[in-house]
Amino acid sequence: MTDAALPHKRRVRYAGTHPRQFEEKYKELDPTRHAAEVDKVMQRGQTPAGMHRSICVDEILAILKPLPGETGLDLTLGFGGHTLAMLPLVQPGGRMFGMDVDPIEMPRTTARLRALGFGEEALSVHRANFSELATLLPQAGGGFDFVLADLGVSSMQIDNPARGFSFRADGPLDLRLDPSSGQSASELLLCVTRHRLRDLLTDNSDEPFALPLAAALQGQYLETTVQLADLVRATMELAYKRSMPAEERLAETKKVLQRTFQALRIEVNDEFGVLDTMLLNLPVCLKPGGRVAILSFHSGEDRRVKKCFQTGERNGIFSSVAADPIRASYDEQRSNPRSSSAKLRWAVRALH
């Protein structure tokens, strides 16, 4: 059957005058045909469905200073925005490497970048966890001139209900960056001990209600994000004081939901363990004078990066490091609220 003979497939219909669900936003999900609509969404300070807005791009470029002929590595390729900004700067003669563990988004990003004219000689993409960065050294000529890691979960992962990253829409309770590997959040809650669940809620998200949440969630068979969210809400209603105003209850419950999902996501992806391994291997992957920038969104991540850089400077591994984290500008935070929690730190490899 030829393409012309294929039956017409109608787009997903939605109730009302504007699409609300992720799968209904057909214009945002097809930015090549509806660029004007995508621009309107971003002008409202929102992230279009299926897209991700890279954070601190100008600040990262000022730190990493990509030059023609250099070799760079984006440890968290994601939607490809940071890599796309650096690719022209290493030309002619340079090359970018990209890593990502997500088997769903990585092929899409690779296809977009290839369509823009960046072939294998300019961009080499690898599906792997960024703790495995040293495996790329032979292909990179023994080291990288600059390395970037954006530790945040991408918007296209969070916003797509099918990925199960958010309590805002119903989806499978998964939370894995790579759904084909490891244990889902649903499976974790079934087998984790109450004490362990309490500890990971405390360690991964500084959750003040870790004890009652652990008692309520441990051993529960929860298949969807909505089921987990409903159980968290019911638990918090019992934990709050009766005198607590309704508006305050809603605001605090939203924070508890965010912290609970974050804690479980960090655990099922072993995000802290992976970060520790990457930081340990990072110095040997940088050429003398090589630059590294790491963008974090959680205090636990930022503490690890800060400690690694400061220890490396004391031991002579890094010649200089960021004294304080760089934050997204006021204008960026206003246009992209998801940038407000970002902290950017940098370091420069010593010349010896």
Side-chain angles (χ1 to χ4, degrees):
M1 182 180 288
T2 64
D3 291 343
L6 290 173
H8 175 68
K9 185 177 180 180
R10 297 176 65 88
R11 64 172 173 82
V12 177
R13 295 293 180 180
Y14 51 85
T17 57
H18 295 86
R20 295 181 179 273
Q21 304 300 321
F22 179 87
E23 62 275 5
E24 296 172 345
K25 299 179 180 180
Y26 68 98
K27 291 185 178 179
E28 296 174 39
L29 291 169
D30 190 3
T32 56
R33 295 181 60 188
H34 302 281
E37 184 67 25
V38 169
D39 186 61
K40 288 180 183 178
V41 174
M42 290 195 287
Q43 291 297 325
R44 296 198 298 265
Q46 299 172 342
T47 300
M51 294 182 64
H52 177 77
R53 302 176 66 180
S54 298
I55 294 170
C56 291
V57 175
D58 291 340
E59 292 84 350
I60 287 170
L61 293 179
I63 291 167
L64 297 182
K65 300 180 177 66
L67 295 173
E70 289 193 326
T71 302
L73 170 61
D74 187 342
L75 288 168
T76 47
L77 182 63
F79 196 72
H82 289 119
T83 291
L84 182 58
M86 293 185 284
L87 271 167
L89 300 179
V90 299
Q91 300 305 319
R95 194 181 191 192
M96 284 294 303
F97 286 76
M99 297 183 75
D100 206 298
V101 74
D102 190 330
I104 298 171
E105 294 299 335
M106 193 193 79
R108 297 172 180 171
T109 297
T110 304
R112 283 194 301 270
L113 295 174
R114 295 281 186 246
L116 292 173
F118 297 104
E120 182 66 30
E121 71 286 349
L123 173 65
S124 179
V125 179
H126 303 264
R127 184 188 160 201
N129 193 294
F130 63 50
S131 63
E132 304 172 64
L133 75 166
T135 61
L136 298 181
L137 286 178
Q139 301 177 58
F144 295 96
D145 294 292
F146 59 89
V147 173
L148 168 67
D150 177 351
L151 305 181
V153 179
S154 297
S155 295
M156 65 274 190
Q157 295 166 326
I158 296 174
D159 294 339
N160 185 353
R163 300 300 304 270
F165 277 94
S166 174
F167 59 88
R168 299 179 186 277
D170 198 11
L173 184 56
D174 195 309
L175 295 174
R176 288 173 295 177
L177 296 168
D178 180 359
S180 66
S181 176
Q183 186 181 54
S184 70
S186 177
E187 294 166 334
L188 171 68
L189 291 176
L190 270 177
C191 65
V192 70
T193 67
R194 185 176 301 185
H195 291 302
R196 174 61 185 149
L197 184 55
R198 178 200 62 192
D199 290 345
L200 71 87
L201 285 165
T202 301
D203 297 340
N204 294 357
S205 61
D206 302 315
E207 177 53 62
F209 296 98
L211 189 59
L213 284 170
L217 300 180
Q218 185 270 331
Q220 296 294 324
Y221 179 56
L222 304 173
E223 294 185 281
T224 70
T225 54
V226 165
Q227 288 175 342
L228 174 58
D230 287 344
L231 184 51
V232 169
R233 291 187 182 99
T235 302
M236 296 315 301
E237 283 302 311
L238 296 174
Y240 294 142
K241 295 180 179 179
R242 292 185 179 181
S243 58
M244 190 176 190
E247 187 174 334
E248 187 178 341
R249 285 172 180 254
L250 286 173
E252 183 59 34
T253 299
K254 180 180 178 181
K255 294 177 183 178
V256 174
L257 284 166
Q258 291 171 334
R259 292 192 294 259
T260 300
F261 273 70
Q262 172 183 277
L264 295 175
R265 190 203 77 223
I266 289 173
E267 180 67 15
V268 300
N269 294 292
D270 188 25
E271 293 180 27
F272 289 158
V274 168
L275 176 58
D276 289 340
T277 301
M278 183 271 281
L279 292 172
L280 180 66
N281 293 328
L282 178 62
V284 299
C285 296
L286 285 169
K287 293 179 181 178
R291 296 83 67 194
V292 57
I294 299 182
L295 197 61
S296 65
F297 295 80
H298 179 269
S299 58
E301 295 170 340
D302 182 60
R303 282 194 298 268
R304 283 168 164 80
V305 175
K306 177 182 177 180
K307 182 178 179 180
C308 171
F309 287 176
Q310 290 179 340
T311 302
E313 186 181 32
R314 286 196 301 268
N315 294 337
I317 296 172
F318 296 119
S319 59
S320 58
V321 303
D324 297 295
I326 298 169
R327 309 300 294 262
S329 68
Y330 172 77
D331 287 342
E332 181 169 8
Q333 292 188 41
R334 185 176 59 180
S335 66
N336 181 13
R338 290 179 174 176
S339 68
S340 59
S341 61
K343 292 183 179 180
L344 176 63
R345 292 187 183 271
W346 58 265
V348 177
R349 184 77 162 87
L351 292 175
H352 56 79

